[in-house]
Amino acid sequence: MRIKWLFITILFVFATGSAASWLVMNSKTDTEVDMVAINEVLKKLESHWGQIDQANFSTIKQSFSVIDTNGQVRFQTFEGQSPTINDAIKNRDTITDVVVEGTLVGKLIVLNDDKKVIQQMKRQLIIVLFITFTMFALLSIIYVLFLNYKVFKPFHKLQSFAVNVARGNLDIPLKMGQNNPFGAFTESFDIMREELALARQSEYEANRSKKELVASLSHDIKTPVASIKAVSELMLLRADDEKVTKQLTTIYSKAEQINLLVSDMFTATLEELNELKVTVTEEESSVLNGIIANVNYDDQISFAPVPACLILTDVSRLQQVFDNILSNSYKYAGTSVTILSAIKHTYLEISIMDYGKGIHPDELPLLFNKFYRGNNAEGHSGSGLGLYISEYLMQSMQGDITCHNREDGFSVTLKIKLA
């Protein structure tokens, strides 16, 4: 390919030189004195010396004058011809003797028009320069197009490929054309992309295996903890001694604490594995009565009848949302809870209200962030995942969850999509 373009360059230079040489040769031929014409003029002068006016000089293109030995002009092709020998010598005209029968009778002066020659040479030089610069301009354009196609265009592809790799788009290969100037360098970049993709996949699989192990262990731990809670509850019912009752209560509370921590760890791991599956179905709004009853510890919840309607929900996931919200109310507010419900537009809105101190207004936008715990969480167990998971579940069920402070407490509002 390089030899091909070198051959084209040489060809352009050769063509430019040839054109310049041709013009110079033509310029020289046009400005030289025509000796054949001079000889023809001399023959006609010698044969018509006595009657020069009758001689036919129409075929002669040279400008000339004829003077006799006395310096008198006998014939002149046009005005402005050198009238004397001295003027002819100064003008560098061609001077030839006119001899008739061996006798010198006059002089033939052929005009040497230097101004005309100079003008003609200037014109020829301008043409040569124009052709030369045109040739080099065309050659430069072709060379720039060649560089763009063979160097800059592949480089831009390589630059775009590097940007994709930096952004983590490792599925886009680097396309390589024939005679690529970057050669093995380009191929090495594509091999690097493939290796990075394999490394990323291996890392993902390793992390997934670890999370699956944590989820499995968390699930297995919940079973013996549940047994401890059940046994301690049974023993509490039969205990008569105050000291034993206190010890059993401690065992039960610690088991409950372990259960909450393991549940949070299990739920968080499943959420990272995208295994918090939500199956939305049409349900009657009366299912909310059972959900509320399941979290109504010590009859601290008062609620009005739920409006009869069909809702889109996953009952088990909605129960999990209520568990998280009411658990927070019991933990941080420590007051009774009121639940109100009403149909608004295309949603059934459930307002869960406690009568605690609420939270600082600056913390409201952060409540649904993963692992966020407010200033009022000090001294209380928890992982900061309850509201985060609740928001994820509600949005997966085409609903939403919001919260706000009231003058007399704190409210969490659930928006459940109507069927």
Side-chain angles (χ1 to χ4, degrees):
M1 183 59 68
R2 293 178 180 175
I3 295 174
K4 176 181 177 182
W5 283 99
L6 180 62
F7 174 75
I8 293 175
T9 304
I10 294 172
L11 182 63
F12 267 103
V13 173
F14 177 75
T16 304
S18 299
S21 300
W22 179 81
L23 289 171
V24 171
M25 290 175 64
N26 282 350
S27 173
K28 185 177 180 181
T29 302
D30 293 341
T31 58
E32 284 184 345
V33 175
D34 191 347
M35 297 307 297
V36 175
I38 292 175
N39 290 331
E40 184 179 351
V41 170
L42 285 173
K43 288 180 181 179
K44 289 186 178 182
L45 288 174
E46 290 171 356
S47 60
H48 296 81
W49 181 255
Q51 299 175 339
I52 296 177
D53 294 338
Q54 296 180 3
N56 183 13
F57 297 108
S58 61
T59 59
I60 306 303
K61 296 181 179 181
Q62 294 285 159
S63 300
F64 63 91
S65 297
V66 180
I67 61 175
D68 57 19
T69 54
N70 296 323
Q72 298 295 321
V73 177
R74 296 288 304 275
F75 184 82
Q76 195 173 26
T77 55
F78 64 91
E79 296 294 333
Q81 194 79 16
S82 301
T84 64
I85 295 297
N86 290 334
D87 292 336
I89 292 172
K90 290 179 181 179
N91 196 46
R92 296 182 181 180
D93 294 338
T94 301
I95 304 173
T96 306
D97 294 336
V98 180
V99 180
V100 178
E101 295 179 357
T103 302
L104 178 65
V105 295
K107 297 288 186 178
L108 172 64
I109 302 174
V110 180
L111 179 65
N112 180 19
D113 192 353
D114 285 339
K115 293 181 180 180
K116 182 178 179 181
V117 172
I118 292 172
Q119 289 177 356
Q120 186 176 2
M121 291 180 66
K122 286 181 178 179
R123 288 196 299 269
Q124 299 297 341
L125 180 61
I126 291 173
I127 294 174
V128 170
L129 291 175
F130 175 76
I131 293 176
T132 301
F133 281 116
T134 302
M135 291 291 187
F136 275 107
L138 290 174
L139 182 61
S140 299
I141 291 173
I142 293 174
Y143 190 65
V144 168
L145 293 175
F146 167 76
L147 286 177
N148 181 65
Y149 180 75
K150 286 295 182 181
V151 179
F152 294 115
K153 193 174 181 180
F155 181 78
H156 287 314
K157 287 184 178 179
L158 187 61
Q159 184 182 23
S160 177
F161 169 79
V163 170
N164 285 327
V165 171
R167 292 176 177 174
N169 300 327
L170 302 179
D171 296 328
I172 303 175
L174 177 59
K175 296 181 180 179
M176 295 178 289
Q178 295 181 349
N179 301 319
N180 191 305
F182 296 99
F185 180 72
T186 303
E187 186 177 0
S188 299
F189 263 89
D190 201 52
I191 294 174
M192 179 191 69
R193 174 191 65 82
E194 294 176 353
E195 293 297 327
L196 285 174
L198 290 174
R200 173 184 284 185
Q201 182 63 26
S202 299
E203 182 183 6
Y204 170 78
E205 292 177 355
N207 288 334
R208 185 178 179 85
S209 297
K210 291 178 182 178
K211 291 173 182 177
E212 288 175 349
L213 177 61
V214 172
S216 177
L217 291 174
S218 300
H219 183 269
D220 292 342
I221 291 173
K222 288 175 68 69
T223 302
V225 171
S227 299
I228 294 172
K229 287 177 61 180
V231 171
S232 60
E233 282 183 301
L234 181 60
M235 294 179 67
L236 275 172
L237 294 175
R238 298 178 179 179
D240 297 328
D241 185 82
E242 182 178 354
K243 183 178 180 180
V244 174
T245 301
K246 184 177 180 180
Q247 291 173 342
L248 290 174
T249 302
T250 301
I251 293 173
Y252 181 84
S253 62
K254 293 300 181 182
E256 177 63 20
Q257 184 178 357
I258 294 172
N259 183 62
L260 289 174
L261 292 174
V262 172
S263 296
D264 288 341
M265 182 171 62
F266 178 65
T267 304
T269 306
L270 289 181
E271 191 272 332
E272 289 182 2
L273 290 170
N274 294 322
E275 290 184 0
L276 279 178
K277 297 179 181 179
V278 177
T279 303
V280 178
T281 57
E282 290 187 6
E283 301 286 345
E284 293 184 0
S285 58
S286 57
V287 298
L288 291 170
N289 296 323
I291 292 175
I292 296 172
N294 288 334
V295 291
N296 190 10
Y297 306 132
D298 300 329
D299 294 325
Q300 294 188 46
I301 298 176
S302 60
F303 62 96
V306 178
C309 58
L310 288 178
I311 57 175
L312 295 175
T313 189
D314 182 330
V315 176
S316 61
R317 293 305 183 187
L318 189 59
Q319 178 72 68
Q320 189 173 349
V321 171
F322 271 86
D323 287 344
N324 287 332
I325 296 171
L326 271 301
S327 175
N328 286 341
S329 295
Y330 295 148
K331 186 188 303 182
Y332 301 118
T335 66
S336 61
V337 176
T338 300
I339 298 179
L340 300 178
S341 56
I343 296 176
K344 294 184 180 180
H345 302 294
T346 59
Y347 293 94
L348 173 63
E349 292 192 1
I350 308 295
S351 296
I352 303 173
M353 302 179 292
D354 63 44
Y355 301 92
K357 297 180 180 180
I359 65 169
H360 195 278
D362 293 340
E363 294 183 304
L364 279 174
L366 306 175
L367 285 181
F368 296 101
N369 291 351
K370 184 186 290 187
F371 303 122
Y372 179 78
R373 303 192 71 197
N375 293 327
N376 62 346
E378 186 175 355
H380 299 282
S381 61
S383 59
L385 288 170
L387 289 178
Y388 169 77
I389 294 173
S390 297
E391 182 183 48
Y392 170 82
L393 293 175
M394 288 303 300
Q395 291 178 352
S396 299
M397 293 185 290
Q398 305 176 41
D400 201 4
I401 179 174
T402 58
C403 57
H404 63 275
N405 286 314
R406 304 188 321 276
E407 291 184 0
D408 58 344
F410 184 75
S411 293
V412 177
T413 302
L414 302 180
K415 297 176 68 175
I416 304 173
K417 184 73 174 177
L418 296 177

